[in-house]
Amino acid sequence: MNLTKKHILAFFKQQEGAIHFDVLLRAVGGRHVKRELKNMLEDMNEDGDVVRLKGNSYSLPEKIKTTRGRISVHRDGYGFVTPDGGGEDIFIPSKFLKGAMHGDLVEASSSPSRMGGNKLDGRVLAVIERATSRIVGRYEETKRGAIVIPDDQRLNLVVAIPSKGHGLAQDGHQVVAELTSYPVGGRPAEGKITEVLGWPDDPEVEVQSVIRRFDLPHVFGPDVLAEAEKITDTVSSGDLKGRIDLRSMPTVTIDGETARDFDDAVSLRRDGEHFRLWVSIADVSNYVTKDSPLDQEAYLRGTSVYFPDRCIPMLPERLSNGICSLNPHVDRLTMTAEMLFDRNGTMLESSFYSSVIQSAARLTYTIVKQIIVDDDREVADKYRPVAPMLLDMKELALILMAMRKKRGSIDFDLPEPEIIIGLTGETEGIVRAERNLAHQLIEEFMLAANEAVARYITSRDIPFLYRVHENPDPAKLQTFQEFVFGFGYEFKLVDEKVKPTELQRLLAQADGRPEERMINYSLLRCMKQARYAADNVGHFGLASDCYCHFTSPIRRYPDLVVHRILKAALALTAEKKPAGTRASRQLAIATERLGEIAEHTSKRERVAMEAERDVVEMKKLQYMQQHVGEEFDGYITGVTAFGFFVELKELFVEGLVHISTLTDDLYNHAEKQHSLIGRRTGKVFRIGDEARITVASVSPATRRIEFLLATHTAQSPGSQTGRTRAGSEEYPRIPLRGKRLTGLKPRGDVHNQDGTRSTGDRPGKGKSGPRKER
């Protein structure tokens, strides 16, 4: 056989399956053409004509089973392909990425992993669709030419910038570069500078970089602003037609001190032994009509995005802080959920209607806490018209909390940080964000309203946009079950599923014990992410069989969709006429494309959370740069083969204690026990253990914080409980100079009560970030 591409392809077509290199070599003439054959096969592999497989074998692409999916690339180079049709992720070593970048849609081969179990290894065969067309990063001029180093280290490349493509960029500038070619066959990616953001140490440039990197829409177009300007900033008498007038009721808003958009207000009255609760939500759908420029922009954004020092709103401020915001002492149009509860928290009845309210007071969580928790008489006297109602609200909230707990709702309630930003934009401090009974009161009322609306629409067999949260991943649950068994805890799995009550019972048993924090973190990693869906599969985290988002239409597009469906459903019920009426047509329009909307808004929520988390992490790094060499107390929150991660108490900052700095012993990684175990001493470092560390180094460019262990207190039963000190025989101090400490914590996302990932900011409203399930 001649050594040509044509003849090699013909030979492949004659064979049944993969062909080993040695077989090909014999077919083309033997060892004297080995190098030539190898080079030709590599070229054909790069061109996609053949596929290189394990064991130095090759095959035609159409003869092997492939999987299509999105690839997530780790900053250390390897990646995982998540199949489009579901199933086990495929591990891709860095040398088999074939130029694929983070987020790309790829075609990959797969085979059982040497690690055993259900794990799969594979390689990228082809890039189907690129996810990245531009990058944000640092522009550098080197001896070999200009380059851009991406901020997102998952891209794992540098972009070459030709001499005509750098524009006005200067060495060290933060820039946006458009990719003109992708990395193929060893050639680097190339691009051109399209925007110079400024110097990277400027706080404004830092935020603008995140906005560009996550492609967050942040400027409203002329058509959107023009439509917003046409909307009146007051409620007219004509707007009140067909609405229930609730203006005489003592309705209040309860939000954070810095909040400016108030989309929910509450009122309560005792009905004998029962509680009648009104939850009134801004009627955004009255001003934002379907498919209008405002609506299209809101859909594109999907959600408001909250950074420590600003908000990127879903709607223009004329609406979000103006006519749609339930500001005090002015008329506002609302959609109201009126609910009657008994003393067990059972909802006896509910009704929904368009309304008009006038908020009697703009209360803060601090004020409400002073009245209902601290019993501050001075503050109560200042708010005398509503103070008795707030005390009744407290009573109902406690009843609803007990009811939710009884049915199995899971609330980790882990502390979260609040970033303190100075006037210049620099991070001045990190404090524990307060969450008290005032926050829980509002959360309970919003949860009740969301659930009531979902049940009302579902009972009428109307298509709907649900908020769903599936049962935890079975494999992760089994691993977690083995992990907690070592601490004397058990929970039941039935058909690889667990009831929320089982996990709630487990958390209650661990409450106040040394391993509590460890068990909370480990359970969080089992949880899936809550999402929007047109099909109702229930909400595991809330132990609810029917749930939606209704209470925040100013900042969440799904809530706006729910309002439109609810309005149309109420109108259809009022008409009491067959199909073909105006109300039925409105309902048909309101329920269009629900699956598409669910997928898009879930994606936008994830992007917003990633951007929020990125900014918070960046601010933490800036703060810790001021504290290199200082000691802090913390907890071990993650254990890997290369060390363990410690989260600092009160600061919520995480860093790595690299295994190379633990010089007293050689340590083995016990993955299922989330531990490092000393071979000689038997010493154990496990999730939840207390640790005092020294901040060794902080690198904002690589997003890494390195710690040195000072002392360690084992918290797990059966392990050492005494403290050991760095610099002692167990932990002799080692010099940092010349020592390279690396590693990334490979842990799952941290989730809030609803399964959504924690952003690091306090869930709530305003500048603190709305990521709690309410």
Side-chain angles (χ1 to χ4, degrees):
M1 184 177 74
N2 295 327
L3 186 55
T4 66
K5 178 178 176 180
K6 178 180 177 181
H7 286 95
I8 289 176
L9 288 174
F11 184 73
F12 271 104
K13 290 176 182 177
Q14 295 170 8
Q15 309 302 311
E16 288 296 324
I19 307 173
H20 194 275
F21 178 81
D22 291 344
V23 175
L24 275 169
L25 186 61
R26 287 193 295 270
V28 298
R31 299 184 64 83
H32 68 284
V33 293
K34 180 177 180 179
R35 182 179 294 276
E36 190 178 353
L37 175 63
K38 188 173 184 63
N39 291 339
M40 181 170 287
L41 287 172
E42 288 304 312
D43 289 342
M44 294 174 70
N45 181 50
E46 290 291 344
D47 294 338
D49 296 320
V50 299
V51 177
R52 184 177 179 181
L53 304 174
K54 277 185 175 181
N56 206 20
S57 295
Y58 295 83
S59 174
L60 294 176
E62 59 267 25
K63 288 190 176 183
I64 63 174
K65 182 182 178 182
T66 63
T67 301
R68 180 170 292 194
R70 293 282 173 184
I71 187 166
S72 298
V73 179
H74 191 281
R75 65 178 176 182
D76 286 343
Y78 59 84
F80 289 90
V81 173
T82 302
D84 283 347
E88 188 71 24
D89 287 357
I90 304 168
F91 173 71
I92 311 291
S94 57
K95 62 182 179 180
F96 297 138
L97 285 178
K98 200 175 181 179
M101 297 164 58
H102 177 74
D104 287 351
L105 181 66
V106 300
E107 200 84 33
S109 65
S110 64
S111 59
S113 171
R114 300 177 195 172
M115 304 291 290
N118 297 322
K119 298 183 184 298
L120 297 173
D121 291 347
R123 60 181 69 199
V124 173
L125 304 179
V127 176
I128 308 301
E129 178 184 281
R130 293 289 186 180
T132 304
S133 60
R134 66 175 189 170
I135 65 164
V136 178
R138 189 173 69 256
Y139 175 78
E140 290 188 1
E141 295 176 352
T142 70
K143 292 180 179 180
R144 294 187 177 182
I147 60 172
V148 173
I149 302 173
D151 286 350
D152 189 347
Q153 295 176 38
R154 296 172 300 180
L155 294 177
N156 206 24
L157 50 70
V158 295
V159 180
I161 306 296
S163 57
K164 294 183 179 180
H166 62 72
L168 300 176
Q170 300 178 38
D171 189 24
H173 263 159
Q174 192 75 358
V175 300
V176 179
E178 179 184 331
L179 293 177
T180 56
S181 67
Y182 291 90
V184 176
R187 297 193 307 271
E190 289 190 358
K192 62 180 181 180
I193 306 300
T194 57
E195 186 178 7
V196 177
L197 299 177
W199 300 108
D201 56 353
D202 183 340
E204 181 61 26
V205 171
E206 292 168 349
V207 173
Q208 291 302 322
S209 295
V210 172
I211 289 172
R212 304 303 193 282
R213 181 150 71 87
F214 289 94
D215 201 19
L216 300 176
H218 62 290
V219 177
F220 290 106
D223 56 338
V224 176
L225 293 175
E227 184 182 359
E229 284 298 321
K230 292 178 182 177
I231 296 174
T232 178
D233 56 4
T234 58
V235 174
S236 67
S237 57
D239 293 329
L240 307 185
K241 185 179 179 181
R243 292 183 178 270
I244 303 296
D245 192 342
L246 302 178
R247 287 176 291 183
S248 61
M249 294 182 57
T251 303
V252 297
T253 60
I254 304 174
D255 294 88
E257 271 75 5
T258 57
R260 296 171 61 194
D261 54 339
F262 312 122
D263 48 14
D264 57 81
V266 291
S267 185
L268 185 135
R269 185 184 70 207
R270 282 187 178 272
D271 277 6
E273 289 295 305
H274 299 154
F275 300 89
R276 188 170 295 275
L277 174 67
W278 288 264
V279 175
S280 296
I281 307 299
D283 190 359
V284 177
S285 64
N286 185 77
Y287 302 102
V288 181
T289 56
K290 189 169 170 41
D291 295 328
S292 66
L294 273 170
D295 183 56
Q296 292 173 10
E297 182 69 19
Y299 174 75
L300 175 67
R301 298 184 178 214
T303 178
S304 295
V305 184
Y306 292 83
F307 297 148
D309 65 340
R310 73 191 67 193
C311 167
I312 302 176
M314 185 180 78
L315 297 171
E317 286 194 10
R318 182 174 175 82
L319 275 72
S320 61
N321 296 349
I323 189 63
C324 292
S325 182
L326 307 184
N327 300 327
H329 312 303
V330 291
D331 292 352
R332 287 293 183 260
L333 305 184
T334 49
M335 289 294 295
T336 295
E338 182 180 333
M339 298 160 282
L340 183 67
F341 297 92
D342 65 16
R343 297 196 65 82
N344 296 317
T346 302
M347 189 181 299
L348 303 177
E349 61 182 55
S350 63
S351 59
F352 311 92
Y353 45 82
S354 300
S355 56
V356 57
I357 70 163
Q358 188 174 114
S359 172
R362 181 271 199 258
L363 303 179
T364 66
Y365 296 120
T366 301
I367 292 171
V368 175
K369 175 180 176 291
Q370 289 171 333
I371 295 173
I372 69 173
V373 177
D374 302 336
D375 194 24
D376 189 317
R377 302 315 306 164
E378 184 178 345
V379 177
D381 287 343
K382 182 178 179 181
Y383 295 94
R384 187 175 301 170
V386 297
M389 180 180 71
L390 293 176
L391 293 172
D392 288 340
M393 286 182 174
K394 170 187 175 180
E395 187 176 349
L396 175 59
L398 292 172
I399 290 171
L400 293 177
M401 288 166 63
M403 180 273 297
R404 272 205 309 118
K405 183 176 181 180
K406 184 177 180 180
R407 79 181 187 190
S409 182
I410 304 170
D411 190 352
F412 293 99
D413 199 20
L414 290 169
E416 294 190 27
E418 181 178 336
I419 308 296
I420 308 300
I421 303 296
L423 295 176
T424 61
E426 299 291 342
T427 306
E428 292 189 347
I430 305 172
V431 299
R432 178 192 291 258
E434 186 175 8
R435 181 171 182 248
N436 54 50
L437 185 57
H439 296 83
Q440 294 170 313
L441 180 152
I442 283 296
E443 286 174 9
E444 290 301 328
F445 292 173
M446 299 303 115
L447 290 170
N450 287 335
E451 196 167 59
V453 170
R455 287 180 173 167
Y456 172 78
I457 298 296
T458 302
S459 67
R460 281 153 179 76
D461 261 348
I462 294 172
F464 198 49
L465 187 60
Y466 295 94
R467 180 69 169 178
V468 300
H469 184 212
E470 287 98 339
N471 207 280
D473 179 81
K476 291 181 178 179
L477 267 180
Q478 289 178 358
T479 301
F480 177 69
Q481 189 178 43
E482 294 172 9
F483 172 61
V484 299
F485 183 78
F487 294 92
Y489 299 102
E490 293 182 294
F491 62 89
K492 295 179 183 177
L493 284 177
V494 179
D495 296 329
E496 297 188 324
K497 292 186 177 181
V498 64
K499 292 182 178 180
T501 49
E502 284 289 293
L503 297 181
Q504 184 201 72
R505 179 181 56 79
L506 171 66
L507 294 179
Q509 288 177 343
D511 186 27
R513 298 183 62 84
E515 62 270 16
E516 176 189 8
R517 193 179 183 90
M518 165 181 47
I519 288 176
N520 271 270
Y521 274 118
S522 299
L523 178 56
L524 280 169
R525 296 187 185 107
C526 299
M527 293 293 180
K528 291 185 178 180
Q529 184 173 347
R531 59 185 176 87
Y532 299 104
D535 298 319
N536 182 26
V537 297
H539 197 297
F540 178 84
L542 295 175
S544 175
D545 57 3
C546 193
Y547 194 71
C548 75
H549 273 171
F550 161 74
T551 55
S552 297
I554 290 178
R555 56 186 174 89
R556 288 190 306 227
Y557 191 81
D559 301 55
L560 180 55
V561 173
V562 166
H563 275 234
R564 288 173 178 153
I565 296 173
L566 177 61
K567 273 188 172 182
L570 292 171
L572 190 63
T573 302
E575 278 190 353
K576 297 180 181 179
K577 293 179 181 178
T581 62
R582 181 171 180 270
S584 64
R585 289 193 297 271
Q586 286 180 338
L587 184 60
I589 293 171
T591 54
E592 288 175 339
R593 301 169 33 244
L594 289 181
E596 181 183 333
I597 291 171
E599 183 177 355
H600 171 76
T601 52
S602 295
K603 180 180 178 181
R604 293 311 303 169
E605 179 187 40
R606 289 192 294 272
V607 170
M609 289 190 294
E610 287 182 25
E612 291 167 348
R613 183 169 56 234
D614 192 83
V615 171
V616 169
E617 292 305 314
M618 180 174 60
K619 296 297 183 184
K620 289 179 180 179
L621 287 159
Q622 290 174 352
Y623 181 75
M624 292 309 295
Q625 279 184 299
Q626 308 165 31
H627 299 281
V628 173
E630 297 181 21
E631 288 192 359
F632 295 91
D633 291 318
Y635 294 96
I636 295 177
T637 55
V639 179
T640 75
F642 51 79
F644 55 84
F645 291 85
V646 175
E647 182 182 289
L648 306 185
K649 296 179 183 178
E650 306 305 325
L651 292 180
F652 310 94
V653 171
E654 204 164 48
L656 173 70
V657 175
H658 198 274
I659 197 168
S660 63
T661 67
L662 304 175
T663 58
D664 65 316
D665 202 348
L666 294 175
Y667 286 87
N668 291 328
H669 180 218
E671 185 176 1
K672 289 187 177 181
Q673 287 75 39
H674 302 274
S675 303
L676 287 178
I677 303 174
R679 296 180 187 177
R680 178 177 57 83
T681 62
K683 191 176 298 176
V684 178
F685 296 101
R686 185 179 292 189
I687 292 178
D689 287 359
E690 291 187 24
R692 185 167 180 82
I693 57 84
T694 302
V695 181
S697 66
V698 179
S699 174
T702 59
R703 300 295 178 95
R704 298 176 192 263
I705 301 177
E706 308 290 352
F707 292 156
L708 287 177
L709 185 65
T711 62
H712 165 248
T713 304
Q715 296 286 0
S716 52
S719 65
Q720 295 183 7
T721 58
R723 288 182 175 269
T724 51
R725 181 76 190 176
S728 65
E729 182 180 352
E730 290 89 345
Y731 292 105
R733 290 200 180 276
I734 61 172
L736 282 177
R737 185 172 300 170
K739 193 75 180 176
R740 184 165 181 247
L741 306 181
T742 59
L744 175 72
K745 185 176 78 168
R747 55 181 287 192
D749 296 319
V750 176
H751 296 70
N752 285 314
Q753 171 180 292
D754 75 326
T756 59
R757 290 178 291 183
S758 171
T759 64
D761 278 343
R762 178 66 246 160
K765 295 182 293 181
K767 292 185 179 180
S768 55
R771 300 294 168 215
K772 201 83 169 181
E773 190 65 282
R774 49 166 285 187

